[in-house]
Structure formats: structure tokens, C-alpha cells
Amino acid sequence: MRKIILLFILLVSVNSISQNKQLLYNFTAVPQSLLTNPGSDVKYKFYFGIPLLSGISANVGSSGFSAYDLFANNGVDFNEKLRDVVFSTTRKDKAAINEQVELFNGGFRIKRDEDQYDSYISFGMYQEFDFLSYMPKDLAILALDGNKDYLGKVFDLGDLNVKAEMLSVLHIGYHKNVNDHLILGFRGKIYSSAANLNSTNNSGYIYTIPSDKGIYEQVISSNLQLNTSGISQYTKSDYSGNIASDIAHRTFFGGDLGLGFDAGLTYYPKKNVQFTASVADIGFIKHTKDVESFVYKGYYNAEGINPKFLGGNSAGNVYQEFKAAIPLDTLYTKYTTWRPAKFISSIQYSFDEERPDDCDCLNYNPETVYKSAVGAQLFLMSTPRTPLMAFTTYYRRKIFNSLQMKATYTIDSYSYKNIGLGLSSQFGPVNFYVLADNLLEYKDVSKANSLSFQFGLNIIFKDKE
């Protein structure tokens, strides 16, 4: 049973990666780049996404191990592979899932005067699922071996650190061309949480030492709490509703509500040198509906011959004493969670200026367009412990008028060989894009520590050339 519990923990941890969208960021051929920086330098007259198809993304991976480490058909006993995974990971190994589906999306320019357009409105709504967990190293060892071979070792209950949420986000953004060098953008967001699970501020310890009064002295100090909202109703025996419709109701503003914002800028110190920066998801959700929290708080000291805490047949009724000292309490108190805030910045150098073959070069002075660019990006995301970080270098190329490309190389805590490729095509008003990273891992995805992709369909109307 302990191995089943442990395997469940590891399987949850393997489906993970951070929310870094390095291919989409500043790839302005794709309208969805405005969701990573509301101050992106976009050139469309207006656009709209195909509902439910304009933006679909998913990310999976793990910083500690891959599926191959557990399930490889290599003749090694599964129990041995399980032990190898547990002891090769650390409490710093992270796990995170992010999935998004755009429900609708659009944007249009606002005309300042006859020939100039200096602002932009964008809006939409998307569904999102977030999961983040750190590897519970000490708890995994306890589940696998118990503590009999670890006299004097202090097992840290604070290793338990996990949160998950399903929500929808309604947003509207405003983008302003301040002058020829500076663009500023802001996006307001309304969050509607369908379900939340949060257990991130845990502490406590377990240790066993030789005792002067008995064979062993075992000490448990526990300060564990799991907060949930939008979940408990489905676990009740008298629940008679429809899970799908109830989740949909909570997702579309029938759940817990919150507010947030994004802000960003694009700055050109020179025509072919660009600097961008953005912050995203600076916001919170207030959980007030269907709230249920489970709390294990207390201190217990037991002396004797290997006291057992998992059943009621222990000598001296140790189990009942343990339950009285560290009871399971159920609370129904409101709580607040913060969204995982993100910061992204980039520097870009453009070259290979594009000019029409039949231009009058003496009088030709259009807005400069470059076919190629190289650059670098920095990504940071807040977590309950240390921030997630990634550094990306990239090359952008306008291959044809109807096809643009962005290639990336990213270093993060999941991989040092993450090569990605994004393509955006434009045939008439129809825009189709596809982005994928860790391309080297596709030859055997079971060995991959991270994989992600995004694709979508938009209708884009540009100025006539």
C-alpha cells in the first residue's frame, strides 16, 4: 500500500513544466503574443480568434526524473527503479502543469486621426489549469521504507508543498503607442475559480531516537493544512448533481472570484534594437464558496517498542493517544490565493532590412521592416519557494510574406538542451500557428523531462501594402 501511495505521488510529479512560453513571447506574427505582453508591437487593423481553436496549449515534464526511469523495459526490477527515483531526487525538484484553451479572443486598433493609429484594444476569455508541486522527499522515504532504519534522522513534513487550480480568465487590454520609440500596455483580468487545492505553508517533523525509558522515543510535530474550494460537494454521498455542468457553472463566474492585471512595454532605443518587459498575473482569488480545509496540528511524544500510529491495536492505546494529540480538524474558513506571478524581458537586434524590388528609393520612407532578428529572453515565475527561472536565446526570420519562424534555445531547471521552433503562416486573412519546444526529445518522449506545444487559428486583417 505504501508503494502505491508513493507511486501516485511520483506520477503526479512527472506531468510537469513551468508556464514559460518562450516561443510565443514577442512573436508578434501571432496575436496571442499580446497575452504574454500587453505592450507588444502588433501591426494588425483587427483580428479575432476561431472560438475554442485560436489558442490551445499544454505543457508536461519533470525536473527530477522521466517516465523512462520508472517504466523502461530494461530488465531492472520495478521496485529497484522506484527506489532509485526516490533517492536521486531532492526536495528542490519541482513539478508543474499548465494547460490553456482560449474560448474567444479578439482585438482592434483605435484611430487617432486620418493617417495614424496609436492605440489598440484586445479582449478575450480562456480556461486554464495550473498545478505546482515540489518533490516530497522525506515523505517519499517514509512511505517506502518507514523510519526504522533512520534513527536520529529528522523527516521534514514541510516537504509537502502542492497547489492546483482550474479557472477561467476574462480579460481586456489597452495598448498605447506613446511615440516612435515607446509602446505601453495594460490588461485587466477577472478570475473565476472552479476548483482549488492548496497546501503550501506546511511545517513539522518526525524523528526516532533511542530512549532511556524504552527502546525508542518517537516525536511528531505537525502543522499541516490542506485548503480546498469547489471540491467537497462532489465527495458527499448525497451529491446528486451533474459534475460537468457544475464545474462549467463555477468556471463561468459561478465560482470564487478574483482580480488581476498584466502590464508591459516595448522600447526602441534604435530602429533595429528592441527592449521589452512584462509582468503577468499579478492577482488574487478570494475563496468563499464550498470551502473545506483539513488540518493536522499538534505535538506527540511516544516512548516504547516501536509505537505504531496507523492502527488502533497498539500497546497502551498509542493510536488513540496520537489521534487526541494531533487530531484531524475540518474547517470552513475563507482563504485567499495568489496567482503565480510572471516576469519576462527580452532584448532583440534586427537586421536584413526589407524593401520592395520596385521602390523609389529616393522618396521611399515607409516603416522599416526587417527580415531577421536575434535576441535573448529572461523568464521568472513566483512559487511558494524559490522562483522558477529560464533563459532563452532565439532567431526570428520572415521566410516569406506568408510565413514567419522563431527558433529558440532555452536553459532552465528542466533541461539544458531545449530547442524549440515556432511557425506562423498567413494565407489571406487566415493565420495558423504552431509552436513546440524540446524537439530533440521527440525521438523518445518517455525520456523527456519536458514537452510543450501550442497551436491555433485566427483571422487577421492588416493594412494594405
Side-chain angles (χ1 to χ4, degrees):
M1 184 64 183
R2 289 187 307 188
K3 290 181 180 179
I4 294 176
I5 295 173
L6 176 59
L7 182 59
F8 172 77
I9 293 172
L10 296 178
L11 287 176
V12 167
S13 297
V14 78
N15 294 304
S16 63
I17 192 175
S18 66
Q19 299 175 40
N20 183 17
K21 295 188 176 182
Q22 67 270 23
L23 282 162
L24 182 62
Y25 185 78
N26 205 33
F27 192 19
T28 51
V30 179
Q32 280 70 18
S33 62
L34 282 165
L35 292 175
T36 62
N37 180 4
S40 293
D41 186 9
V42 297
K43 305 295 185 185
Y44 327 121
K45 290 177 65 177
F46 66 91
Y47 78 92
F48 62 90
I50 305 299
L52 299 177
L53 294 176
S54 60
I56 299 173
S57 66
N59 306 278
V60 294
S62 170
S63 67
F65 63 98
S66 66
Y68 181 86
D69 295 328
L70 278 175
F71 302 109
N73 185 17
N74 56 7
V76 179
D77 182 74
F78 177 79
N79 292 329
E80 188 62 32
K81 288 187 286 190
L82 187 62
R83 290 185 62 84
D84 289 343
V85 166
V86 169
F87 287 96
S88 65
T89 55
T90 73
R91 69 187 305 269
K92 295 181 180 180
D93 283 314
K94 314 176 226 1
I97 299 172
N98 181 251
E99 164 272 325
Q100 280 188 9
V101 176
E102 276 191 351
L103 306 179
F104 64 90
N105 189 22
F108 57 91
R109 281 193 309 198
I110 299 175
K111 186 176 181 179
R112 186 177 68 180
D113 54 41
E114 184 175 351
D115 296 317
Q116 296 183 357
Y117 300 84
D118 72 340
S119 57
Y120 207 90
I121 298 292
S122 59
F123 56 89
M125 186 176 186
Y126 59 88
Q127 174 273 327
E128 183 171 4
F129 174 76
D130 284 325
F131 172 84
L132 175 66
S133 175
Y134 284 88
M135 179 65 182
K137 174 78 172 186
D138 282 0
L139 295 177
I141 293 174
L142 277 173
L144 189 64
D145 289 343
N147 63 352
K148 66 177 182 177
D149 295 326
Y150 298 92
L151 293 181
K153 174 177 171 56
V154 179
F155 292 89
D156 187 358
L157 299 184
D159 280 2
L160 180 61
N161 194 310
V162 60
K163 62 178 182 178
E165 185 152 41
M166 179 181 291
L167 73 161
S168 67
V169 183
L170 179 66
H171 60 87
I172 183 167
Y174 178 73
H175 157 131
K176 173 73 174 178
N177 289 277
V178 178
N179 52 47
D180 290 339
H181 301 281
L182 180 63
I183 302 168
L184 299 177
F186 179 86
R187 183 174 307 281
K189 294 181 173 182
I190 299 176
Y191 305 113
S192 178
S193 174
N196 175 267
L197 181 150
N198 187 285
S199 184
T200 58
N201 295 312
N202 298 307
S203 61
Y205 52 85
I206 298 175
Y207 68 81
T208 304
I209 58 175
S211 170
D212 295 335
K213 299 179 181 179
I215 295 180
Y216 296 114
E217 178 184 6
Q218 296 196 24
V219 175
I220 301 177
S221 177
S222 177
N223 183 19
L224 302 177
Q225 182 163 335
L226 172 64
N227 298 320
T228 71
S229 69
I231 296 175
S232 66
Q233 61 175 319
Y234 308 118
T235 65
K236 291 181 172 32
S237 59
D238 59 350
Y239 174 72
S240 58
N242 182 284
I243 294 178
S245 62
D246 286 347
I247 290 177
H249 171 72
R250 285 183 60 89
T251 300
F252 295 101
F253 305 104
D256 300 311
L257 300 180
L259 296 173
F261 71 89
D262 305 343
L265 63 86
T266 298
Y267 176 67
Y268 291 94
K270 296 182 179 180
K271 271 190 175 183
N272 64 333
V273 178
Q274 179 200 69
F275 171 78
T276 74
S278 73
V279 291
D281 277 328
I282 310 300
F284 68 92
I285 297 174
K286 189 74 174 178
H287 299 277
T288 61
K289 302 176 182 178
D290 192 23
V291 174
E292 191 172 51
S293 298
F294 305 96
V295 180
Y296 271 111
K297 288 188 178 180
Y299 177 87
Y300 187 61
N301 186 323
E303 295 181 315
I305 303 174
N306 195 20
K308 296 179 181 179
F309 303 98
L310 300 180
N313 298 321
S314 299
N317 205 19
V318 170
Y319 177 61
Q320 294 301 324
E321 292 177 3
F322 165 73
K323 288 208 306 180
I326 307 180
L328 171 61
D329 292 326
T330 303
L331 308 178
Y332 304 94
T333 306
K334 302 174 184 179
Y335 66 96
T336 300
T337 58
W338 289 88
R339 298 292 296 147
K342 294 169 279 292
F343 169 80
I344 316 175
S345 182
S346 73
I347 185 75
Q348 177 178 286
Y349 173 78
S350 301
F351 56 97
D352 194 8
E353 183 177 345
E354 179 182 56
R355 292 192 177 192
D357 294 334
D358 57 350
C359 76
D360 179 359
C361 295
L362 292 176
N363 300 310
Y364 179 73
N365 188 28
E367 183 175 358
T368 305
V369 176
Y370 296 96
K371 293 182 179 180
S372 302
V374 292
Q377 299 171 189
L378 176 67
F379 169 83
L380 299 171
M381 187 179 83
S382 66
T383 77
R385 293 183 184 168
T386 58
L388 298 178
M389 302 179 63
F391 178 76
T392 298
T393 58
Y394 67 87
Y395 170 68
R396 285 181 57 178
R397 176 70 182 178
K398 183 178 181 181
I399 303 173
F400 310 112
N401 286 334
S402 59
L403 182 64
Q404 297 192 41
M405 175 271 290
K406 181 179 181 181
T408 60
Y409 170 70
T410 300
I411 298 174
D412 57 23
S413 58
Y414 301 99
S415 174
Y416 294 98
K417 53 181 180 179
N418 184 348
I419 295 176
L421 180 64
L423 296 173
S424 175
S425 62
Q426 182 88 26
F427 297 99
V430 180
N431 165 249
F432 173 73
Y433 69 94
V434 59
L435 319 170
D437 69 359
N438 262 298
L439 298 179
L440 298 179
E441 304 292 350
Y442 278 85
K443 59 186 177 182
D444 188 350
V445 295
S446 68
K447 294 181 179 179
N449 285 103
S450 62
L451 294 171
S452 70
F453 70 89
Q454 181 169 351
F455 66 90
L457 278 169
N458 300 294
I459 305 298
I460 300 177
F461 293 89
K462 299 181 180 180
D463 291 317
K464 293 182 179 179
E465 298 183 356

